[in-house]
Amino acid sequence: DAKTTQPNSMESNEEEPVHLPCNHSTISGTDYIHWYRQLPSQGPEYVIHGLTSNVNNRMASLAIAEDRKSSTLILHRATLRDAAVYYCILRAETQGGSEKLVFGKGMKLTVNP
Amino acid sequence: DARVTQTPRHKVTEMGQEVTMRCQPILGHNTVFWYRQTMMQGLELLAYFRNRAPLDDSGMPKDRFSAEMPDATLATLKIQPSEPRDSAVYFCASGLEEVSPLHFGNGTRLTVT
């Protein structure tokens, strides 16, 4: 499985932007970059995913480096509800469909009031 | 919003007993995943189904665990006999075959004494 590297933890302040980094130097051409997060006592929740171009949705933005070896999840205005463990995952898309989603250790985001 | 439903939410059982966990995937989804989460190991993939057929169960202890999809609306994970080391939160997730996010249930918290 292709690997990702994230910091163990980060802190941010409420109502400020947060940039969550992820390195994936061994990414292959068919790997999509997925982000999930897990709030306390809940199952993981999809945040965003992309292949090459930057992506935006109602939750966050995903900025992908030109060489695709790193990406950044951007929360434009952190709230207390954004405190969670964030997972950056590579998931290959093949002709037969998507492959399995393998979680790493993730990164704990703390949001200070 | 459509949700993945897992039952029971909590299960306490004695070592040696059979445990069955159930998952109702989102209607129309054709992939189902079972994960186990512990503090030590994080989120581990146990089994993965596409169109009700098992594609990968390499993460599952074969001697005591079994996963099935009797029909498209039900996935089951059984442990027989259960052991204290099986204590964990078990998550089910469903998705579409194409590039799409996985939707997770809220998990079954299993305690084996």
Side-chain angles (χ1 to χ4, degrees), chain A residues 49-88:
Chain A
H49 77 285
L51 183 62
T52 55
S53 305
N54 295 343
V55 184
N56 300 296
N57 66 21
R58 64 176 179 82
M59 291 180 70
S61 295
L62 177 60
I64 301 172
E66 200 167 329
D67 64 4
R68 301 214 317 130
K69 296 188 176 185
S70 65
S71 60
T72 302
L73 180 70
I74 302 166
L75 306 179
H76 295 285
R77 202 161 159 266
T79 69
L80 296 179
R81 195 194 172 278
D82 292 321
V85 176
Y86 285 77
Y87 298 93
C88 171

Side-chain angles (χ1 to χ4, degrees), chain A residues 5-109:
Chain A
T5 305
Q6 300 176 255
N8 288 333
S9 61
M10 282 184 68
E11 279 196 40
S12 67
N13 296 319
E14 200 176 7
E15 299 189 4
E16 291 184 357
V18 186
H19 290 229
L20 310 178
C22 182
N23 287 320
H24 28 79
S25 57
T26 60
I27 192 169
S28 71
T30 57
D31 286 333
Y32 281 73
I33 302 157
H34 289 248
W35 283 83
Y36 283 74
R37 71 181 185 182
Q38 187 173 20
L39 280 65
S41 301
Q42 293 188 24
E45 173 187 34
Y46 167 80
V47 178
I48 200 166
H49 77 285
L51 183 62
T52 55
S53 305
N54 295 343
V55 184
N56 300 296
N57 66 21
R58 64 176 179 82
M59 291 180 70
S61 295
L62 177 60
I64 301 172
E66 200 167 329
D67 64 4
R68 301 214 317 130
K69 296 188 176 185
S70 65
S71 60
T72 302
L73 180 70
I74 302 166
L75 306 179
H76 295 285
R77 202 161 159 266
T79 69
L80 296 179
R81 195 194 172 278
D82 292 321
V85 176
Y86 285 77
Y87 298 93
C88 171
I89 305 164
L90 300 184
R91 188 182 187 197
E93 303 298 338
T94 65
Q95 283 189 333
S98 302
E99 292 193 354
K100 55 192 179 185
L101 200 69
V102 178
F103 287 79
K105 295 189 183 304
M107 186 211 74
K108 183 175 182 179
L109 175 67

